[in-house]
Amino acid sequence: MQLNDFSYFLPDDLIAQHPRHQRDASRMMLLRRNKKTIADCHFSSLPEHLQRGDVLVVNDSLVIPARIYGKKPSGGLLEILLLTCKEKIDGKELWEVLARPAKRLKENDMIDLGHACEAQVITRLSDKKWLMAMSAEDGFNNYLERFGRAPLPPYIKRRRSMTPDQTDDRDRYQTIYAKTAGSIAAPTAGLHFSAEILNALRTKGIQIASITLHVGIGTFLPIETETIEDHVMETEFYEITAEAANIINNARRVIAVGTTSTRTLESVADSNGYVRPQSGETRLFIYPGYSFKRVNGLLTNFHLPRSSLFLLVSAFAGTDFIREAYAEAVEKRYFFYSYGDCMLIL
């Protein structure tokens, strides 16, 4: 399969730049795969479309404030995206990072992060990754909590500055049930949930099972191979507890909230769809032709063209059906991507 077959046209003004005023106020497109029907709804109606005995599987990974800014020795502004903490030694933390603009960075450069914090460039790991040593007077974790920013994807425009963030992204680019720190991107399908919706689901007899997948740099990276089968996903850590596995295995239907929950479930399910408690890493790449083992329904946002996420939903609902749904979403002016609207595929 060729990547170009998974493009679509999207006007720039349909890329959501801010969250809606209320989490559960987003629009929701309802797709029924068997009947090939498309209907317009609102997310607040989600409980009406599910049934007692269904299980919603959510990703409880918490987004760390992984975007920070500093000044290079030249005085130029440097944007740093933290990826993975490799080790902690002598009061310093060694992190794999992305940095831009990085053209003139070199080993041993000191980056002034402000507020008694600095980063030392250790080495270049690849064309895109660097290893840096972070140190702060009050501890780097405390620095991040105070001055780190939500690692918004590049299509959400925020002005680059060392001035502390005054937006509400730290709160809204986070699900209300997030608890296990480790992601550098939000599992965005979960951003729509409010406490009221979760209570309404439970009242109807719909259980919520929490699993964890820490969303990594693969979410930001485009597919660069023209032949889809040649693409290799970045590894991401997951964990499924015994309690979650039991709930999932006894579900009438499993409705995955987001592509991250989907990939986790499909990574661990056996050929009969049985899920065992476990933790590990996955680089499962789901694209059309994949046979789903455990997931019966999917709640998801609208995704970038030519992305692994768009390929996953095409695999789940059918390429032609998804193409039709996306064209209708553009025509009816749904909002796209992280802060946008969503679709429920049953």
Side-chain angles (χ1 to χ4, degrees):
M1 280 181 288
Q2 296 300 299
L3 188 60
N4 281 338
D5 295 334
F6 295 88
S7 295
Y8 67 87
F9 170 71
L10 178 68
D12 287 344
D13 64 345
L14 293 185
I15 300 173
Q17 296 297 307
H18 300 276
R20 290 187 181 270
H21 68 285
Q22 185 176 319
R23 285 183 180 268
D24 56 18
S26 56
R27 297 168 69 189
M28 183 174 75
M29 178 176 279
L30 175 63
L31 277 60
R32 296 195 180 274
R33 294 179 292 168
N34 291 340
K35 299 179 180 179
K36 292 292 188 289
T37 59
I38 301 174
D40 299 315
C41 308
H42 285 85
F43 180 78
S44 57
S45 70
L46 176 65
E48 300 171 20
H49 305 294
L50 303 180
Q51 301 174 26
R52 178 176 293 274
D54 287 344
V55 170
L56 276 175
V57 180
V58 302
N59 182 4
D60 69 4
S61 184
L62 187 146
V63 181
I64 64 174
R67 194 177 302 279
I68 55 180
Y69 293 88
K71 288 183 178 178
K72 296 183 285 187
S74 65
L77 190 65
L78 185 72
E79 179 183 307
I80 297 172
L81 178 66
L82 303 172
L83 300 180
T84 307
C85 183
K86 306 303 291 184
E87 60 179 313
K88 300 179 181 181
I89 52 174
D90 299 329
K92 295 184 179 181
E93 296 189 10
L94 293 180
W95 281 82
E96 285 187 6
V97 307
L98 300 183
R100 67 182 182 100
K103 187 175 181 180
R104 292 182 175 83
L105 273 187
K106 58 184 183 297
E107 292 184 5
N108 295 317
D109 274 356
M110 300 301 299
I111 311 301
D112 180 10
L113 300 174
H115 311 284
C117 184
E118 62 182 9
Q120 181 182 9
V121 179
I122 304 300
T123 189
R124 187 168 201 155
L125 299 173
S126 68
D127 287 345
K128 298 175 180 177
K129 293 181 183 178
W130 296 78
L131 185 67
M132 293 188 182
M134 310 293 180
S135 58
E137 281 187 4
D138 295 329
F140 189 59
N141 281 346
N142 290 332
Y143 172 85
L144 281 185
E145 282 303 311
R146 293 183 63 193
F147 304 109
R149 305 187 193 187
L152 298 177
Y155 49 75
I156 295 178
K157 309 299 182 184
R158 294 288 187 272
R159 188 170 65 179
R160 297 168 63 213
S161 168
M162 292 187 69
T163 305
D165 201 347
Q166 300 300 316
T167 71
D168 61 356
D169 291 316
R170 282 280 298 268
D171 173 60
R172 293 301 303 274
Y173 194 64
Q174 193 85 265
T175 64
I176 65 169
Y177 46 73
K179 65 178 182 180
T180 309
S183 281
I184 62 167
T188 54
L191 298 181
H192 307 281
F193 284 89
S194 63
E196 291 76 14
I197 294 297
L198 291 175
N199 289 335
L201 289 164
R202 294 188 177 103
T203 298
K204 192 172 179 177
I206 299 159
Q207 289 185 281
I208 314 295
S210 295
I211 63 176
T212 303
L213 182 132
H214 291 322
V215 187
I217 188 57
T219 292
F220 293 89
L221 296 180
I223 296 177
E224 296 180 340
T225 60
E226 286 305 317
T227 302
I228 287 169
E229 292 85 348
D230 292 339
H231 178 64
V232 178
M233 296 285 286
E234 297 274 337
T235 58
E236 293 171 314
F237 173 84
Y238 68 82
E239 184 172 20
I240 298 179
T241 65
E243 179 184 8
N246 183 60
I247 295 172
I248 291 164
N249 288 328
N250 288 286
R252 174 185 175 274
R253 292 185 302 179
V254 170
I255 313 299
V257 176
T259 59
T260 60
S261 295
T262 301
R263 289 181 58 242
T264 305
L265 291 170
E266 293 298 316
S267 294
V268 303
D270 65 19
S271 59
N272 296 315
Y274 187 80
V275 171
R276 290 178 172 80
Q278 58 188 278
S279 62
E281 291 184 335
T282 181
R283 60 182 347 141
L284 177 63
F285 179 27
I286 297 177
Y287 54 86
Y290 178 85
S291 180
F292 287 82
K293 299 172 292 186
R294 179 67 274 186
V295 176
N296 308 115
L298 172 62
L299 177 74
T300 185
N301 281 21
F302 294 91
H303 302 294
L304 284 163
R306 298 163 56 94
S307 67
S308 62
L309 310 181
F310 185 61
L311 288 165
L312 186 152
V313 296
S314 297
F316 188 73
T319 301
D320 292 340
F321 191 32
I322 284 296
R323 190 179 300 280
E324 177 187 351
Y326 270 57
E328 187 166 320
V330 170
E331 180 183 354
K332 294 183 175 179
R333 299 193 61 76
Y334 278 74
F335 283 107
F336 281 58
Y337 307 161
S338 295
Y339 277 154
D341 297 312
C342 61
M343 60 166 54
L344 175 63
I345 309 173
L346 297 174

